[in-house]
Each structure stands twice: as structure tokens, then as C-alpha cells.
Amino acid sequence: MATAVRICVCGDEGTGKSSLITSFVKDTFVTTKIQSVLPQVTKPPGIGTPENVTTTIVDTSALPQERNTLRKEIRKCNVILLVYSDHYSYERVALFWMPYFRSLGVNVPVVLCANKKDLTPNVTTAQVMEDEMLPVMAEFKEIDSCIRTSAKEPHNVNEVIYLCQKAITHPIAPLFDSKESNLKPAAVAALERIFYLCDKDRDGYLNDEEIQRFQKKCFDKPLSEEDLRTNKQSIKRATGADSEKGIDSKGFIQLNKMYAETGRHETIWIILRAFHYTDSLSLKDSFLHPPFDVPVSSGSSAELSPAGYRFFADLFLLSDRDNDGGLSPSELSALFAPTPGLPPSWLDASFPSSTVRNEAGHITLQGWLAQWSMTTFIEPRTTLEYLAYLGFEPAEKGSSSSTSTTAAMKITKPRRRRKRPARVERNVFLCYVLGASGSGKSSLLDAFLSRPFDATYHPTIKPRTAVNSVELHGGRQCYLILEELGELEPAILENAAKLDACDIICYTYDSSDPDSFRHIVELQEKHPTLSTLPSLYAALKADRDRTTQRSTLQPHEYTAARRMPSPTHCSATWGSISELFVALAEAASAPATAYPKEEGEVVDHTNLYIALAAGVAAAGAAVWIWRRAGLGGWVGGGGSAGGS
């Protein structure tokens, strides 16, 4: 929104331009002769100024010798006040002034002013409007508004400057098409989104409570019962809709159309700006992307806060209109109506196949929260953007973080790559699934999402992700992201940033294929960095006959040599495969249990020693306190006996 308005006052000589400016500045008509062109006037922000903008008024001359100065001032201004006062100067509006403005290539609003009303007292404003102003406005769409004034009476002096200010601070052009007599599509789209966000119960109507909440947000004051009744009656007359249930979307649009038609488009702008819209009817970038820096290099990550999970859960439950526990395509479409659509990353991941669905193939609440957990972990910027689109509002007011969408997210403590026993304080973990082609990686991801087993082999070309919640031992819940890298595996394993984002690696091999495990050995030899990451081994297809692997060491020998847990034998067709996912999540949260260790490497028992030392110290202190207490009781008893 503009913070300054520069008005260029144009018109023929003798139309009263300078007198109009003088009357505005001095708040009275000056009878003495004034100079033909006044110096520039600057009015600082004040109570009578819309949106508290600074206003600069520039007087000009229509004389041919001043044409160069006139041209420069017109190009510097952002609104033109065009003044006429008689029939000749009125004719010059269409014949000279408006074509001249167009020839300069300026695209600024023009306020048309019929001055010296005091010279034609018998002519009504309605006549002037109908006979003079409306025909010119129909011909030149640049004319934003028109007004009749008199510097002598004075009449509408302050109002004409206010119209110029409003032409910049509350422009009608982006909102209303006067030729079609309709709101423009971008304005309709913005108002429909606002209606959707205010319809908290998603019944298609704004009830009285929702209207009052909307009124409070936009205008910071309640709407009287009489005004509410008047608005409903106006909508009913215009649309014929029944207003008993409340105001529907068409009625809401119609009400704002009436505001535009009656010159009250300032009201529309107040509504739009309360919902963070810019003058171009797009959402502010500072609203979509507030400051939220995740220090990834130090091992931190982004997660949803309890407020964020609560918001997305409530949104799911509101959108599940048939209460079947899943969001159908039509319900998803309605949910994402106030957004540009599904996030691009979701489309790339073939959403909703990347998360948990019900038997009908519709995403469940569990899958919905898991999907947003993954999005927040991988693309926190996308989550912030959609929180804004979907209308997240913090429950508490206070700090800047609690009044923006960042209140729905949090940054985890840095995760340090160390082999000392310690738990990682985060709830979302990324696991790369590596292994030879045909080892069962895709079936593993399907089993993670409780999909039926498919025996047909489908090679994975592009990376594929699956996310689901996992309940750890002790009842703690976390989200695990399994990613199969496909043909991008070599590039990803060479990317240090990608490897640093990974919490744990799941090495998979086909226990019935003698050549499958050798791929893992060769992979680790080719990419030595993999040995620095926590990992677990999974012997898949355990429902088939196990075979000896063509490798220097058998899998259990290989893991034993690295002092790691033996491979978990499982099958995508077994229900017990869920234990593998729990083991992966547990290892990611306590990575010291899953690090490979070379022969002779000393295990760091620092934490154990500290705990033992603390225990010994505590026991010693307890004994000392006990002895002191016993000694004090004995001395006290002896003193009492002596006194008797």
C-alpha cells in the first residue's frame, strides 16, 4: 500500500486550481490576489488522511511555455486532479487533457473536478453529473471519480483532496469493472477465499456469530443488530436468497459489489487488507513467508508444534463432511479451495499414495498429519505458506512469533553425530532405504503404509517416499519418512547435504537371492561416508528359502564384525514387519545403538560413568546425612538426662 500521495493539479487557466489549493491549505477562501502557480504543498499524515499517508499537492500551469514543466510533474505524480469550471474548459477535458495524459504514457487515476459551483447556483449536482461527468467517465476509464466543488463557498474542498488520496490508498480499478458493472475476477477470488475462511463450520453460510467475528477482525468493532438486518435485507432484495441461515457466498460477493457501486470501495479494501492482501490482490509475501530460519547445518529441523497439529487435525475433521474417516477427492478439493492447489511436492510424490489411506483410497487423519509432518520436515517454507492460505490463527496474542503462522511450527534442538548414548529430541525422522534392485524396497514402503502385497516387480525410477506414524516403546509417537532413491541414488549419496539430512539408513537385501547382499558391501566401499551414519540391516523376503550370500562375509558375520545388530529377517507379507519400522524409529531416536564400530574401537561409556559417579555420590551423601541425624539424636538425649 502506498505511503505517499503526490497530486498533480491540472486544468485550463482560470479554472480555480490555485484557489482550490489555497482554500484547502488555509481552510478558508483567500480574497486577495494569489500567484498564478503555487509552490508545492506537503501535508503530513493526520487524522483526516486515509491510511495516514503523506500528501504532496503540485500546482501547474496550462500555458504553452510551461508545457515541459507540466509534463515532468504529470510523470512524477501518482494521481491527477483535473479541474474545469465552465463549458469551454469542460470541452477541453475530452478534446485536449485526457488525450494528452494518454500521449505521455502515464497510467494513474484521474479525479475530475467541476469547480466554481458558486457561479451556477441554479444547476444541481445531479444535472452536472448526468450531463457532464458521466459521459466523460464512460469515454475515459482512467477517470476514477468525479466531484463538484467551490473554493469560494467553500464546498467539497477537503473532499476533493480526500478523493485523490483514496484513489491511491483505496483504488477502485483493481476491484470493479465499471464497463461490465461487476467485480473483477481477482477481487471475487479474494473475497470468496475470505468467505471460506470465515465460514468456520463449513456449512456454506456465515451465521450471526461468524459475521460478528468477521466484523471484529476487519473493523475492530461489533456490527449492530440493525446494520446486520439491513445488510441481510439488501442482499435478499438483490439476490432473492433466503437469509435465515445466514449470508451465503453469493450474498457476500453481492454485498461487496454494492459497496463498489455506491463508492464505498474503501470498505472492500479494509476487508482485503485485514486478510493480508496487497494492492495487486495477492497475499503479502511477508504473510506467506514470515522469518523462520532453520539452522540445518547444525542438525536442527522443523516440526509442527502442538498448535500446528491441532489446526491440521481440526481442518481434516471439518472437511470430512460424510464422516467416513477419509477425505475424498471432492472433499480435498473443497479443503484446498483457498489455496493455489496441492503443494507441488505433493504432486511429485503422487499424493495421496505417499501416506496412509483407507480402503476407498482416501487419505485418513493419520495419513494427513503424517503428510504435513513430512512437508514441514523437508519444506518448512511450504507449510508456512499453506498455513497462511488455509487461515491458521494463533490462539494467543503476544510476541511476534505467536501472532504469525510460525506459532504452528517449532525448531528442534541440534542433532549431533556422536556415538555416545543420547536420545535425539525430535519427532520426525528420515530414513533412506538402500539395497539392490529387486531386494524388496518398494514392497517395504507399501507394507509401511499397510498396502496389500503386490508380487509384480515394478522398478523404481524416480525417488519415492512413504510417511507414517510409529509408536515407540513406552508409548511415544513419532513420524518416520522412508525414502527409496531410485535412479537418483548415486547423486544423492554423493550429496553431503542430503546425507546430513538423513537420520538413519535401512540396508535391505533379498535373503533368497545369493547376489543381493554383495550390493550393500560394494555400496559402502564406493561411498565411505555411509559408514558414519546410523544404520540397520533388513533381510527381506524371509518367507522364501534362505540362501548363502556370495560375499566374503555372510550378513550376520558382516554386522558382527562391525559390532552392530544382526539383520532383521522379515517379509512384506508378514504382519510382524511393523517391528522393523519400530526398530528403525528407535535407532533414529537413539543413534548410538546403530553406529558401525571398527574392531578395537573403544565404546564411549562417558555417560554411564557420569551416571555411576552421580549414584555413588548420592549414596555417600545419604549415609552422611543418616549418620549426622543419628549423632544429633544421641547428643540431645544425653543433655536431657543431665538436666533432670
Side-chain angles (χ1 to χ4, degrees), residues 48-65:
T49 307
E51 305 297 332
N52 291 324
V53 296
T54 300
T55 304
T56 302
I57 305 172
V58 180
D59 194 9
T60 62
S61 171
L63 295 175
Q65 60 267 31

Side-chain angles (χ1 to χ4, degrees), residues 466-514:
V467 60
N468 199 352
S469 59
V470 176
E471 186 174 331
L472 304 179
H473 300 306
R476 177 189 165 206
Q477 188 182 45
C478 70
Y479 290 93
L480 182 63
I481 305 167
L482 298 184
E483 184 168 356
E484 185 183 0
L485 306 182
E487 293 184 347
L488 291 182
E489 181 180 286
I492 292 175
L493 296 184
E494 290 290 342
N495 189 320
K498 290 285 187 181
L499 285 179
D500 191 56
C502 175
D503 292 288
I504 190 165
I505 293 177
C506 179
Y507 293 109
T508 64
Y509 67 96
D510 180 356
S511 59
S512 65
D513 179 359

